[in-house]
Amino acid sequence: MNTHITDIFFDLDHTLWDFDKNSELAFDRIFKERFSNVKISDFIEKYMPINQACWKLYQHDKITHQELRYNRLKFSFDALNIEILDEDIDQIANDYIETLTDNNHLFDGAIEVLEYLKPKYKLHIITNGFANVQDKKINNALLSGYFMTITNSELAGVKKPNSIIFDYAVNVAQASKENCIMIGDCLDADVNGALNAGLDAIFFNDKKIEAPQNIKQVNHLLELKKYL
C-alpha cells in the first residue's frame, strides 16, 4: 500500500469499461437491424480512430456534443464511401446511445483490482462522458458499489485535461491533492491533466504505445498492485 495516497481516481471508458468491445457490439446490433449492407468490421476499423480524434476535439472544446455525435458517424461513412442521410445519422446516434450500455464488458482484471483497492483507499471516477450514459454504464456493469464519488464533465462544467475538473473532483471527495492519484488511458486528458492539476498519475497503457519514461505506467490493470 502506498502510504501517502488516500484517494484513487479512475477514468471510466478505455480504462475500466471496455469501450471498444462494447461499442462494436452496439453497432453490430444496430446495423443488423437497419443497415445490413454495412460490414461491421470495416465500419469499426474506420470509426475507432475517427471517434478518438473527435473526442480529442471535444475535450478541448473545439467541437460541441452534437458535433461529436454527428461527425464521428458521418466521417466514418464517408471513409467507407457510403452515402447516408442526416436523418439516418441522427437515428444511428440515438440508437447507439440507447444500445451502448446493454453491453458491459470490463477490462481484464477490473473487478479484481477494485476488490484489492477498495479496503485500502477511497475510490472515485472522473469521466468526460455524458452523465446519463456514464451512470448507466457504471450501474449496469455493477461498478457503483466501488466508488464513493463520480465526477463527470457536465457536473464540473469543464472536461479533462482542464485542471478545474480535477479540483472539482478532489473537492467533492474531500481529499487533498498530494494524497490523490489518477489512473487513465489518455496521456493528454488523464495523465498530464492530473499532473498539471497537482495530482499523481498512472498511465493505463494497454495498447503499449510510446510514453515518456518519467510517467508511471501499467499495461494490465492488475499491475496497479505494484504501485498501490
Side-chain angles (χ1 to χ4, degrees):
M1 178 173 173
N2 193 317
T3 50
H4 80 282
I5 296 293
T6 58
D7 292 72
I8 300 172
F9 294 84
F10 277 92
D11 176 44
L12 183 61
D13 293 329
H14 304 283
T15 301
L16 294 171
W17 201 82
D18 192 339
F19 184 91
D20 290 353
K21 185 182 282 190
N22 296 323
S23 190
E24 182 169 352
L25 289 166
F27 279 124
D28 189 46
R29 184 167 143 195
I30 291 164
F31 290 168
K32 275 177 180 160
E33 290 174 7
R34 293 179 176 275
F35 303 92
S36 55
N37 61 316
V38 179
K39 192 177 172 190
I40 187 68
S41 57
D42 292 346
F43 177 82
I44 291 296
E45 186 185 336
K46 302 295 184 189
Y47 176 80
M48 289 305 180
I50 287 169
N51 182 48
Q52 291 278 36
C54 288
W55 265 99
K56 189 151 192 170
L57 292 172
Y58 177 70
Q59 279 167 192
H60 290 277
D61 297 316
K62 302 278 176 64
I63 59 173
T64 65
H65 173 193
Q66 205 55 43
E67 286 170 325
L68 167 68
R69 285 183 56 167
Y70 177 84
N71 290 357
R72 63 187 180 182
L73 290 171
K74 179 70 168 78
F75 296 166
S76 298
F77 281 106
D78 286 351
L80 292 168
N81 295 313
I82 296 173
E83 286 191 28
I84 186 162
L85 299 171
D86 281 355
E87 51 260 43
D88 286 332
I89 289 178
D90 287 340
Q91 187 63 57
I92 295 170
N94 291 333
D95 289 349
Y96 175 70
I97 294 300
E98 285 299 311
T99 308
L100 184 60
T101 54
D102 291 346
N103 308 295
N104 285 284
H105 293 278
L106 300 174
F107 276 92
D108 188 44
I111 296 297
E112 187 179 335
V113 84
L114 292 173
E115 289 283 351
Y116 166 80
L117 295 171
K118 192 170 189 288
K120 302 176 173 70
Y121 305 94
K122 289 182 263 182
L123 306 181
H124 314 271
I125 281 177
I126 308 178
T127 172
N128 281 351
F130 314 125
N132 61 331
V133 181
Q134 300 306 73
D135 287 347
K136 273 191 199 171
K137 288 175 188 174
I138 291 162
N139 290 328
N140 291 355
L142 306 179
L143 290 175
S144 56
Y146 293 101
F147 298 102
M148 298 185 74
T149 69
I150 295 164
T151 294
N152 60 63
S153 50
E154 288 177 49
L155 281 171
V158 295
K159 297 176 279 291
K160 296 176 292 185
N162 191 313
S163 62
I164 291 170
I165 193 170
F166 294 99
D167 294 345
Y168 179 97
V170 170
N171 188 46
V172 170
Q174 298 182 312
S176 300
K177 284 184 181 179
E178 59 269 22
N179 304 126
C180 295
I181 195 162
M182 176 77 201
I183 299 162
D185 71 291
C186 181
L187 273 173
D188 176 36
D190 299 313
V191 177
N192 292 331
L195 293 171
N196 291 336
L199 290 74
D200 201 354
I202 298 173
F203 177 36
F204 175 50
N205 187 9
D206 75 306
K207 293 190 169 63
K208 300 182 180 175
I209 65 166
E210 195 72 35
Q213 290 294 308
N214 61 326
I215 285 174
K216 298 186 191 82
Q217 63 172 297
V218 296
N219 303 133
H220 189 284
L221 289 174
L222 292 180
E223 292 173 26
L224 290 170
K225 294 180 181 183
K226 291 190 304 189
Y227 293 108
L228 297 162

